[in-house]
Amino acid sequence: MRRRLRLAVSAPAIQRDLQMEGQYSALLVFFASGMASLVSAAIGGPISAWAFDLSMRQGLLMWWTGEWMNAMVLLPFLLALPSARSSGAKQERQSWALKLLPALAVVGLEMTSYMVGNKVGSLVFSLPALLWCALSYRS
């Protein structure tokens, strides 16, 4: 006898996530921007490898990381823009601790970045938390 695992996801929850209002919206944005940068790297990577006399691997990695970094830097600002939908009632029902959680995540990840040192990779530690803040605090 084979049992199937069924995920109970309601249609309104999926709709909220697709409108960037749900809990997993930041993960959706992170995944989508990663996939878009992979597609971009497939086109631009070989061109940059040829133009800068790099190996194909270096060209693809350079293009992919550059595109993903650009998306992760710009998306929090774009998502923080006010939307036409009003979600004020939802924001008012949340407790003050839940409203403060995204900002605390940014502070914690920035502290982690500082402890790691001035390495280039440590700059991206707080980007997922910044996305979370943009989705949580937009009006």
Side-chain angles (χ1 to χ4, degrees):
M1 177 186 305
R2 200 170 174 192
R3 297 175 106 184
R4 286 188 169 178
L5 178 65
R6 296 179 69 185
L7 296 175
V9 178
S10 65
I14 293 172
Q15 188 66 25
R16 271 196 322 271
D17 284 335
L18 292 177
Q19 292 175 349
M20 297 295 137
E21 293 177 348
Q23 184 177 14
Y24 297 104
S25 299
L27 290 176
L28 181 65
V29 168
F30 188 72
F31 177 74
S33 63
M35 291 295 109
S37 53
L38 275 176
V39 171
S40 176
I43 297 167
I47 296 170
S48 67
W50 172 77
F52 297 110
D53 197 27
L54 300 170
S55 70
M56 184 65 74
R57 181 176 169 261
Q58 287 176 323
L60 288 171
L61 284 175
M62 183 178 72
W63 197 278
W64 177 61
T65 56
E67 284 294 314
W68 206 357
M69 178 63 73
N70 290 335
M72 296 307 294
V73 167
L74 292 176
L75 279 173
F77 296 108
L78 294 175
L79 291 173
L81 293 174
S83 66
R85 300 176 301 277
S86 72
S87 59
K90 180 185 150 206
Q91 288 287 341
E92 290 173 7
R93 283 185 273 140
Q94 286 183 340
S95 70
W96 64 271
L98 286 177
K99 290 180 184 177
L100 194 59
L101 199 56
L104 290 175
V106 171
V107 171
L109 289 172
E110 283 297 320
M111 288 174 37
T112 304
S113 173
Y114 180 75
M115 289 189 300
V116 167
N118 292 333
K119 307 230 182 331
V120 174
S122 66
L123 295 174
V124 299
F125 282 173
S126 61
L127 285 177
L130 286 173
L131 273 172
W132 188 17
C133 282
L135 292 170
S136 299
Y137 298 139
R138 74 178 179 169
S139 46

